[in-house]
Amino acid sequence: MINNITCNIKEICKEYGIINYTINPDGSIDVDGNVALNKLNLTKLPLKFNKVIGSFYCNSSQLTSLDGCPNYVGGWFDCNTNKLTSLEGAPTYVGNSFYCQVNILTSLEGCPNYIGGYFICSGNPLLQEIIDNPKAEMKRLNREKKLNTLLNSF
């Protein structure tokens, strides 16, 4: 069974040009480099990613969910121009900029805990104050998550 899963992951990586990867025991992969799954008309990601040292591009497709996205992205994360209604499943850490413009987002719920560069979310049906200052909204959401965690621990 494990060999079949490993073979399938290797085939999928080959098909999408993903190299320098490690298959984790849970079936997710770590990539030492960039992942370019953009402009492929994907409706969902073909693999479960854990860590991508470089940038992760899944923009200009037909994604309706970020399920399978890496938890950690060392470079840019670009999911713009898809059909996303939520950022649930987005990385928790993005070392550079995060691009999610031109989707159908109505909130930034599920956004990363840390973004090292720009946070671009224009072209979504978001409130203008969120578009103007998405990092402030990101901080508010993260504070709210921490508060709920504390309150639920009692």
Side-chain angles (χ1 to χ4, degrees):
M1 178 82 169
I2 292 175
N3 285 339
N4 287 344
I5 293 170
T6 299
C7 286
N8 288 342
I9 292 171
K10 287 180 179 180
E11 288 173 19
I12 293 168
C13 286
K14 184 176 180 182
E15 179 181 347
Y16 290 102
I18 299 167
I19 57 173
N20 300 326
Y21 62 89
T22 303
I23 301 172
N24 299 312
D26 67 355
S28 67
I29 65 170
D30 294 340
V31 181
D32 187 10
N34 297 328
V35 173
L37 298 172
N38 52 322
K39 301 178 183 177
L40 296 176
N41 287 322
L42 298 173
T43 56
K44 65 179 188 171
L45 294 174
L47 295 163
K48 181 174 175 8
F49 294 88
N50 178 52
K51 187 174 187 178
V52 174
I53 299 300
S55 295
F56 190 89
Y57 303 99
C58 58
N59 56 296
S60 305
S61 226
Q62 302 292 317
L63 295 178
T64 57
S65 159
L66 292 177
D67 288 342
C69 279
N71 296 314
Y72 174 98
V73 176
W76 288 282
F77 181 85
D78 191 347
C79 63
N80 84 76
T81 317
N82 276 291
K83 295 181 177 182
L84 300 172
T85 58
S86 165
L87 293 178
E88 294 295 331
T92 56
Y93 178 96
V94 176
N96 207 311
S97 296
F98 183 93
Y99 300 96
C100 61
Q101 69 271 30
V102 192
N103 276 287
I104 316 167
L105 300 173
T106 55
S107 88
L108 298 182
E109 201 74 44
C111 68
N113 294 332
Y114 175 83
I115 298 172
Y118 295 109
F119 188 165
I120 309 296
C121 60
S122 57
N124 285 292
L126 293 164
L127 295 173
Q128 188 61 44
E129 62 201 41
I130 294 173
I131 292 171
D132 292 342
N133 194 354
K135 283 197 173 183
E137 178 67 1
M138 182 180 91
K139 287 178 184 174
R140 185 192 70 75
L141 289 169
N142 286 328
R143 279 193 306 271
E144 194 172 286
K145 281 184 215 172
K146 288 176 185 173
L147 180 60
N148 285 336
T149 300
L150 282 172
L151 292 174
N152 290 329
S153 67
F154 291 108

